[in-house]
Amino acid sequence: LRLWSPERGTRDMSGAGVAAFAPVWSADGRLLWFVSGPAGRWDPLDAVAGRGIGDRRISVWDASTERTRTLAREAGYVEEGVRPSRDGSLLLIARRPTAAATELAAIPKVDLEVWLTDANGANGKILARFPGAGLSVYGHRTGPGEWAWSE
């Protein structure tokens, strides 16, 4: 993930070996929310299990401190997208449950779920579930980039 500004030029927000995607700014422009996890070669068995490249979490970069923190992940889930409320007190998070498989043909269909949580990604509840849409959903359905937040 790379930022550019006329004052500071280009700077990398994620380190080497880190894949970062689905960024979104807070309404006040102070926080940058994004999904991050280990970079690497796509392995569906690791992805569905939440290991290696599938170990995805929500990260938040604070422009005032220039530090990034990673939110704790809901046990048994992988984070796929995030959208903060206008005041930053709540998050919409796209999550999918992890699953185990020993071969490609045995990978189960996993659901994509939309959760409402506090600003730390905790104390959440499921708002919507999309059966079987959780793995490899990118490019196939409307994702968090197209969500509109309503308070």
Side-chain angles (χ1 to χ4, degrees):
L1 182 62
R2 183 172 283 170
L3 289 181
W4 176 86
S5 71
E7 301 82 18
R8 297 196 58 181
T10 302
R11 58 190 161 147
D12 289 330
M13 304 309 300
S14 52
V18 175
F21 57 96
V24 62
W25 287 100
S26 60
D28 64 5
R30 188 178 66 88
L31 302 175
L32 179 64
W33 302 83
F34 57 97
V35 177
S36 66
R41 186 170 175 231
W42 174 252
D43 179 334
L45 297 176
D46 281 344
V48 76
R51 298 185 311 257
I53 61 151
D55 184 12
R56 297 177 178 161
R57 300 166 187 267
I58 303 298
S59 293
V60 186
W61 179 74
D62 187 324
S64 62
T65 64
E66 295 197 3
R67 293 185 181 212
T68 300
R69 66 184 170 95
T70 302
L71 304 184
R73 189 172 70 197
E74 184 75 24
Y77 284 85
V78 170
E79 316 294 13
E80 298 287 356
V82 61
R83 289 294 179 263
S85 63
R86 183 171 302 280
D87 68 1
S89 66
L90 299 170
L91 301 174
L92 282 177
I93 299 178
R95 291 182 166 142
R96 67 170 171 80
T98 59
T102 56
E103 58 185 41
L104 293 178
I107 292 177
K109 291 187 181 257
V110 291
D111 299 341
L112 182 67
E113 300 173 352
V114 178
W115 289 55
L116 180 65
T117 73
D118 63 23
N120 292 312
N123 302 308
K125 64 180 179 178
I126 298 171
L127 298 179
R129 180 176 288 121
F130 301 94
L135 189 63
S136 301
V137 71
Y138 299 103
H140 299 286
R141 295 192 187 271
T142 301
E146 288 78 36
W147 296 348
W149 181 269
S150 176
E151 295 190 49

